[in-house]
Amino acid sequence: MRALRTLMPPPGVVTVLTISNLARTVGNGFLLSVSVLYFIRAVHVPAGQVGLGLTVSAVLAMAVSIPAGQLSDRLGSRTASLAFGVTQGLLVCGYALAGGFAGFLAVVSLTAMADSASTAARGALIADALPQGERVRARAYLQSVINVGLSGGTLLGGVALSADSRTVYTAMLLGAGALFTAGGLTCLALPPQAARRAPKGQRDRHVLRDVPYLAVSLCNAVLVLGTDALLTAALPIWIADRTQAPVSVYAAIMFLNTAMCVLFQVRLSRGAEDVRGGARAMRRSGVLLAVACGVFALSAGRPAWVAVGCLLAGALAQVIGEMLHSAGSWALSYELAPAHAHGQYQGLYGIAQRAGSAITPVLTAALLIGWGWPGWLVFAAVLLAGGLATPAVARWAERNRPFDAADDGPGGERADGGTGDAAASRTADAAAPTSA
């Protein structure tokens, strides 16, 4: 019951963002469950072309992440989140109008770019709307909602798949578009944001020139290899091809992962509110993800009951490592970024996340499926190295931040009450930059 009580977000900004996120993630669950089959079975796009289109859209999504973040910094993250969210919703509705490969490629690419832009803006919105010590906890609430929303949306989408009807597919896609639009419009309930200006000398600074932050993002990308994509891309194939465990154990593993993230993400995020705490969480994450890989390796060639035990034990270590990684990643992404440029810094961090997720299927196919259990040990070594390296890299980034940390108080205010970040016009719960 205590764990359940932690799921209730505090009133105000976090509650608004939670409602917005719930609408978006249920819509995403609809989209994930029906969109590919819709284009293959209803629009008759060949499966190979669908795969090519998804790859192209993923590359374009990464390409627009930083420019979209910069636009968010100029418009204000509340305005950008609203605009990108509504745009994404309208584009998702466009799925129902697409015909042939060209139409599919256009709509899936534009939707992916809008999603990437919205992710950068919404990441910045949390930094702008909440005091420094509350950001990681807010992201933890939103992460819990992501798991609930995706699970619910995917479940409803799976029910719709049983009809295998173009009419049902279209209805689900239009419903997803409406939910994304509603998630964007919910941002209107947030307080108006005050304009903020970059301190003198920082106006032309680009995130790609911040080498220490790039190094932190790289460490994050390494640890991403051991999170969601590992479970969804590698583990089901490993269970089916390399173990004696029944394939049905994978469903139990996914349920365990979802339930743990919903119930304990907020609790495991405590203590990771600053650079030191975030780096510590990332180090622990690397250790636990490496342990999980080692335990997964033990399932090869064992009797079914032993293999099931190893897989479940590895999944438990993996999900704890995943939650610690999330908390540490949020802390470092916010605390090492200048207050006037959270949009472009979140954009870069989003690229690292997407790159890690994109590389995982290829890497796991080569190491785990190709090499067997030794591949798990190599994977474990990579994750362990990423986790252990993060604290030192984070300290380096903290010492070499392209701004004076003393100038920025909670929520981006100047600690001395000056006007460099428009603290005087800040509302009770929100402030955001409109130019960088």
Side-chain angles (χ1 to χ4, degrees):
M1 292 300 297
R2 183 179 179 184
L4 289 174
R5 283 195 296 271
T6 65
L7 300 181
M8 297 300 295
V13 170
V14 180
T15 295
V16 173
L17 292 173
T18 298
I19 294 171
S20 176
N21 234 36
L22 182 60
R24 288 175 52 82
T25 51
V26 172
N28 205 28
F30 287 177
L31 199 61
L32 289 173
S33 57
V34 305
S35 59
V36 171
L37 286 178
Y38 168 76
F39 283 110
I40 292 175
R41 300 177 71 90
V43 185
H44 305 296
V45 178
Q49 292 185 353
V50 169
L52 174 62
L54 293 175
T55 300
V56 170
S57 69
V59 172
L60 291 174
M62 287 190 283
V64 304
S65 188
I66 293 177
Q70 291 176 299
L71 183 59
S72 173
D73 292 330
R74 286 164 171 76
L75 295 177
S77 54
R78 175 179 177 259
T79 300
S81 296
L82 170 63
F84 293 147
V86 171
T87 299
Q88 185 179 3
L90 295 176
L91 289 170
V92 169
C93 290
Y95 274 52
L97 304 176
F101 175 67
F104 160 72
L105 181 61
V107 73
V108 77
S109 297
L110 290 171
T111 302
M113 289 189 284
D115 178 68
S116 179
S118 182
T119 299
R122 292 169 72 85
L125 179 60
I126 293 169
D128 296 333
L130 292 168
Q132 179 179 6
E134 297 179 17
R135 295 167 184 167
V136 171
R137 188 163 179 252
R139 287 295 294 260
Y141 279 114
L142 299 183
Q143 186 66 27
S144 297
V145 168
I146 286 174
N147 284 278
V148 172
L150 277 178
S151 298
T154 303
L155 180 62
L156 292 173
V159 172
L161 289 178
S162 62
D164 196 20
S165 161
R166 177 166 187 154
T167 300
V168 175
Y169 289 151
T170 301
M172 295 296 290
L173 291 171
L174 291 175
L179 286 167
F180 278 112
T181 302
L185 291 174
T186 304
C187 295
L188 289 171
L190 294 172
Q193 300 171 0
R196 285 189 289 175
R197 299 184 301 275
K200 186 177 180 180
Q202 295 183 29
R203 198 170 295 275
D204 296 325
R205 180 105 184 180
H206 194 279
V207 64
L208 294 180
R209 296 175 58 195
D210 190 344
V211 177
Y213 194 89
L214 286 170
V216 171
S217 299
L218 178 61
C219 290
N220 179 59
V222 170
L223 290 178
V224 168
L225 300 175
T227 56
D228 289 343
L230 179 67
L231 288 188
T232 58
L235 204 58
I237 301 174
W238 172 262
I239 293 171
D241 291 352
R242 295 283 186 163
T243 76
Q244 301 300 316
V247 176
S248 59
V249 73
Y250 181 66
I253 289 172
M254 293 306 294
F255 176 80
L256 173 67
N257 182 274
T258 300
M260 290 285 290
C261 287
V262 170
L263 293 173
F264 297 109
Q265 180 67 75
V266 175
R267 181 178 297 184
L268 285 177
S269 298
R270 293 172 184 164
E273 292 84 5
D274 54 18
V275 174
R276 180 175 297 180
R280 183 169 57 247
M282 295 279 272
R283 183 185 65 225
R284 292 172 178 171
S285 170
V287 172
L288 281 168
L289 292 174
V291 169
C293 289
V295 178
F296 286 145
L298 293 176
S299 64
R302 307 289 180 181
W305 67 273
V306 176
V308 168
C310 290
L311 291 169
L312 291 175
L316 181 61
Q318 188 276 338
V319 70
I320 296 174
E322 179 181 330
M323 289 186 285
L324 287 171
H325 163 261
S326 294
S329 173
W330 299 327
L332 297 183
S333 70
Y334 288 131
E335 299 308 309
L336 296 174
H340 69 276
H342 276 297
Q344 64 168 311
Y345 274 69
Q346 288 296 310
L348 173 63
Y349 228 69
I351 291 176
Q353 293 278 143
R354 291 173 185 268
S357 297
I359 292 170
T360 301
V362 177
L363 191 59
T364 54
L367 289 178
L368 309 184
I369 310 306
W371 292 12
W373 67 264
W376 280 111
L377 302 184
V378 174
F379 210 65
V382 172
L383 294 170
L384 182 62
L388 295 180
T390 300
V393 175
R395 288 193 297 270
W396 174 46
E398 189 175 26
R399 290 194 303 269
N400 293 277
R401 284 184 288 187
F403 61 97
D404 185 356
D407 287 343
D408 294 302
E413 295 177 335
R414 285 179 60 88
D416 60 4
T419 59
D421 286 321
S425 57
R426 174 186 165 95
T427 63
D429 288 307
T434 57
S435 63

